[in-house]
Amino acid sequence: MRLLHTSDWHLGRSLHRVSMLDAQAAFLDHLVATVRERDVDAVLVAGDVYDRAVPPLTAVELFDDALHRLAAVGVPTVMISGNHDSARRLGVGAGLIERAGIHLRTDPAGCDTPVVLADDHGEVACYGLPYLEPALVKDEFKTDKTHHEAVIGAAMNRVRADLATRPAGTRSLVLAHAFVAGGQESDSERDITVGGVAAVPAGVFDGVDYVALGHLHGAQTITERVRYSGSPLAYSFSEAAHRKTMWLIDLGAAGEIEAERVDCPVPRPLARLRGRLDDLLDDPALAAHEQSFVEATLTDPVRPADPMARLTERFPHALSLVFEPERAEQDAVDSYAQRLKGRSDQQIAEDFVAHVRGSGPNERERTVLRGAFDDVRVDDTVREVAG
């Protein structure tokens, strides 16, 4: 069985206020063409279809068009909701849409009810695990601990229990939206840390033939059977070096895997440039980036006049300016943003306590802080979905 694994479309998202809708439409054209040209048997979309819970109408229209085109191809599509999606909104009409071969899996309670696909070698049970927010699904899965490993583990126990009831030799797929240990993050993914822990071990998915992951925006192989497709487009300059692809997975008669990366169209490359402004404007080696989206880090000791206006004379698609002035080593002082880079909200709060009090928080205080951040994040999620 030939599968096309994609995720993290983020329909409706922009890049530094530049609409990506045309680029997203071009990707969906490419997706449908790939399904036809490569004889794909099923499409797997591992969450974050939209960029936010209430997407703009233009994004909804693009999604609607994509569903019609996938249905017209006659190839089954299995799709789950991600942490950016409103599961309830995305799942509206799922029963009706299923008649057209588009299988939306947005209800955690249905994670052990597979879409059953078939080829010449028999059945393939395809299970959809939508994004599982621990605080919101712990009662459904009856877990004592409110973290990702607990709820995903409970969901996978249900999957394995259902799979055990199926005929011997039934192959299996799982779609999941999660941060799996070993994955490489980028700046454009929303933090899903719960209780100070974001990642789950790959072993939680043991027992199935292939796991199609979404959430991280870089295509990556966690294990031979556990992979991220990544986003089809770059949504931050931290993704400038990404090769944007989909996975073409051939699932053999005994569950063996062959994987190929299928490149996605690049509407405009991203470039991260660094140096003094005059050097960036004069360096002939940078001619290759003149039509790229550009993030420029200026190292001039003194901020130049009108830097963006001057930069866009050569790089008309420059979108972002960062200032990191060159300093003598003895005068080097990190900016506030640099000091915070890579630190979680929890770590920043603990640093603040240490700064004000002279000593960091004890374990009880860390637990209180962690609970507060988790409560705020869950409250934001609930209000976004209800909004």
Side-chain angles (χ1 to χ4, degrees):
M1 178 171 289
R2 175 161 287 183
L3 310 162
L4 188 63
H5 167 197
T6 176
S7 73
D8 295 272
W9 295 355
H10 288 279
L11 300 182
R13 188 162 187 156
S14 60
L15 176 67
H16 288 268
R17 298 180 298 281
V18 173
S19 173
M20 299 297 284
L21 201 68
D22 287 345
Q24 290 168 339
F27 160 69
L28 292 172
D29 290 343
H30 171 67
L31 171 69
V32 175
T34 301
V35 170
R36 289 195 175 105
E37 294 166 7
R38 301 299 301 270
D39 296 322
V40 169
D41 296 306
V43 177
L44 312 177
V45 186
D48 281 354
V49 174
Y50 291 123
D51 188 55
R52 55 183 186 265
V54 185
L57 181 58
T58 50
V60 177
E61 290 171 341
L62 184 58
F63 179 59
D64 180 64
D65 178 65
L67 292 185
H68 278 84
R69 295 170 67 191
L70 287 168
V73 174
V75 172
T77 298
V78 184
M79 186 177 296
I80 62 172
S81 50
N83 62 301
H84 280 250
D85 299 308
S86 164
R88 293 181 65 184
R89 284 188 174 88
L90 186 63
V92 167
L96 185 62
I97 294 171
E98 191 155 5
R99 299 180 187 178
I102 308 292
H103 306 274
L104 296 172
R105 292 295 187 261
T106 63
D107 183 359
C111 67
D112 56 349
T113 303
V115 177
V116 179
L117 310 172
D119 62 9
D120 292 341
H121 304 295
E123 293 186 343
V124 178
C126 184
Y127 300 88
L129 276 59
Y131 172 67
L132 302 175
E133 174 59 53
L136 301 181
V137 301
K138 63 182 178 65
D139 292 338
E140 167 65 33
F141 292 108
K142 298 179 174 57
T143 58
D144 295 330
K145 298 180 179 179
T146 55
H147 55 67
H148 289 290
E149 183 177 353
V151 295
I152 293 175
M156 282 302 302
N157 286 341
R158 291 189 184 184
V159 167
R160 285 184 284 263
D162 178 81
L163 190 57
T165 69
R166 299 188 176 274
T170 298
R171 291 159 293 164
S172 55
L173 310 169
V174 164
L175 286 77
H177 197 86
F179 180 13
V180 176
Q184 182 64 46
E185 299 174 84
S186 63
D187 292 344
S188 51
E189 298 126 7
R190 183 181 293 173
D191 183 25
I192 59 171
T193 300
V194 177
V197 179
V200 301
V204 77
F205 296 107
D206 285 351
V208 295
D209 293 309
Y210 184 70
V211 181
L213 292 174
H215 180 56
L216 299 184
H217 286 187
Q220 41 202 304
T221 301
I222 305 300
T223 72
E224 180 193 13
R225 298 184 182 278
V226 180
R227 299 172 187 258
Y228 282 100
S229 66
S231 61
L233 297 165
Y235 290 118
S236 71
F237 279 98
S238 66
E239 301 172 51
H242 286 188
R243 174 187 167 197
K244 295 300 186 180
T245 60
M246 302 177 285
W247 282 112
L248 193 68
I249 302 294
D250 285 323
L251 180 65
E256 62 271 28
I257 296 289
E258 291 186 10
E260 174 189 347
R261 291 178 71 178
V262 178
D263 288 292
C264 296
V266 180
R268 192 179 299 281
L270 272 62
R272 305 184 97 170
L273 309 182
R274 182 183 182 88
R276 296 191 177 196
L277 179 57
D278 287 343
D279 293 338
L280 298 183
L281 297 178
D282 296 337
D283 187 350
L286 300 182
H289 302 304
E290 289 177 355
Q291 295 306 311
S292 300
F293 286 132
V294 168
E295 176 190 76
T297 299
L298 301 185
T299 61
D300 301 70
V302 177
R303 184 179 298 227
D306 301 320
M308 183 58 93
R310 293 172 61 192
L311 193 70
T312 53
E313 289 178 4
R314 183 178 188 188
F315 305 102
H317 304 287
L319 300 181
S320 175
L321 271 182
V322 180
F323 293 96
E324 293 185 5
E326 297 170 352
R327 301 178 188 273
E329 186 174 344
Q330 63 271 24
D331 295 330
V333 177
D334 286 343
S335 70
Y336 181 69
Q338 289 171 313
R339 294 199 302 273
L340 296 186
K341 188 174 182 179
R343 300 185 69 75
S344 68
D345 290 342
Q346 175 87 13
Q347 291 170 321
I348 293 168
E350 290 183 14
D351 289 348
F352 176 75
V353 172
H355 173 73
V356 171
R357 194 171 64 185
S359 63
N362 58 34
E363 191 55 41
R364 183 187 65 80
E365 292 167 332
R366 288 193 186 94
T367 301
V368 170
L369 285 171
R370 190 177 301 124
F373 283 119
D374 288 349
D375 289 346
V376 168
R377 186 178 47 76
V378 170
D379 184 61
D380 285 345
T381 301
V382 172
R383 286 192 291 108
E384 185 179 54
V385 171

